Amino acid sequence: MNKYSKIVEYLFPDKTALVFAKTVLIFSLLFVGISILIPLYNAAVKYDLIDAAPLLGYYLIIDLEFETSVISRFLYLLEISTAIFFFTAFVLTRKRFFLFFAILYLIIFFDDYLQIHETFGMFLDRNFILSNIFGLREQDVGELAAWLIMAICIIPLGINSFRKLNRAEIIYCYAVGSSFVVLLFCAVVFDMIHIVVGRDGIMRHAIGKLEEGGELVAISLTLGLAFAATRQGKVN
């Protein structure tokens, strides 16, 4: 058995959990692929590269940048499901790092669904003088400040949640942490680049797809890990 297989066995000791994780990831990649291909198809039609009719109204279904589209609702479902599975794993095992992950992804869900950091960022922008950073608007700096405040609120729980872990738990936490880093990179870095490049142009749309698609894939990976923890908790 190679190193990769051992890591997969640590993370998904239950076959059902592995099948579930693969299925969710495949659906997410499929959604992301379609959301990229349809705009490319419409662009080809617009510039007479192909003789066909454009696909209209697709943004209501599979546009990741349209907040009320079906695929955005799918992302919300993945986020809240991840939080629920982590909390279930905590109830079954009483391991505090599962509670930390549950709270973290519950915050992510509410932040996405209710647009908390955008709203709070605008509040900070209206009521405080915020310095311009890296060419970002004051509102964008406010959003970063809102993210920082939310992070500070859960750091104490995080410090106390990752003590005395065994080898399998350390590998598991590294896996969840890695998917969270991908999510954070897409949500923060790509979002800032998205703003800087402006409102129009191919680059803006490309960055937008990387941002939203990366978030969807990262959440899908974490959901698979959360479900696996729930299954393992039931076995133990």
Side-chain angles (χ1 to χ4, degrees):
M1 184 180 295
N2 58 38
K3 186 176 181 180
Y4 171 77
S5 298
K6 289 182 179 179
I7 292 175
V8 171
E9 185 178 345
Y10 274 127
L11 298 176
F12 302 100
D14 181 84
K15 185 177 180 180
T16 302
L18 182 59
V19 171
F20 175 84
K22 288 181 177 180
T23 301
V24 173
L25 182 59
I26 289 171
F27 270 106
S28 296
L29 291 172
L30 182 62
F31 280 139
V32 172
I34 293 173
S35 73
I36 293 172
L37 290 175
I38 291 181
L40 290 176
Y41 167 82
N42 284 343
V45 172
K46 179 180 179 180
Y47 293 105
D48 296 323
L49 297 178
I50 57 176
D51 183 17
L55 296 174
L56 303 176
Y58 73 92
Y59 57 88
L60 295 173
I61 302 175
I62 51 95
D63 191 341
L64 289 160
E65 297 184 63
F66 195 67
E67 296 294 336
T68 58
S69 67
V70 173
I71 193 171
S72 292
R73 301 294 184 183
F74 177 66
L75 176 61
Y76 300 150
L77 176 62
L78 296 186
E79 290 170 344
I80 191 62
S81 299
T82 300
I84 291 171
F85 283 139
F86 274 135
F87 184 74
T88 303
F90 166 71
V91 171
L92 293 172
T93 65
R94 295 299 174 180
K95 294 176 180 178
R96 285 180 293 182
F97 63 86
F98 286 129
L99 179 61
F100 173 79
F101 289 146
I103 294 173
L104 176 62
Y105 280 87
L106 189 64
I107 290 173
I108 291 171
F109 164 72
F110 280 117
D111 179 66
D112 253 0
Y113 187 70
L114 301 177
Q115 297 185 324
I116 293 173
H117 78 270
E118 289 92 343
T119 304
F120 190 52
M122 287 188 288
F123 167 79
L124 293 176
D125 179 35
R126 288 195 301 265
N127 293 278
F128 300 94
I129 299 175
L130 300 176
S131 300
N132 188 276
I133 301 176
F134 302 125
L136 301 176
R137 301 168 302 174
E138 285 79 2
Q139 179 185 332
D140 305 323
V141 178
E143 291 180 9
L144 288 175
W147 267 106
L148 182 61
I149 292 170
M150 287 190 288
I152 291 173
C153 291
I154 64 172
I155 282 176
L157 176 61
I159 293 174
N160 294 316
S161 297
F162 299 97
R163 296 178 178 177
K164 299 179 180 179
L165 303 181
N166 59 41
R167 177 178 173 79
E169 291 169 349
I170 291 173
I171 293 174
Y172 181 87
C173 289
Y174 270 122
V176 175
S178 297
S179 64
F180 177 73
V181 168
V182 174
L183 173 66
L184 196 64
F185 185 85
C186 294
V188 177
V189 178
F190 280 146
D191 186 46
M192 295 299 104
I193 296 174
H194 195 193
I195 293 166
V196 170
V197 297
R199 295 180 175 275
D200 299 304
I202 296 176
M203 183 60 70
R204 176 194 177 278
H205 290 291
I207 295 298
K209 297 304 179 185
L210 286 174
E211 175 193 345
E212 304 294 343
E215 289 179 18
L216 181 61
V217 171
I219 290 292
S220 299
L221 292 171
T222 310
L223 175 61
L225 291 167
F227 180 75
T230 303
R231 296 283 300 178
Q232 187 65 13
K234 289 180 179 180
V235 172
N236 294 338

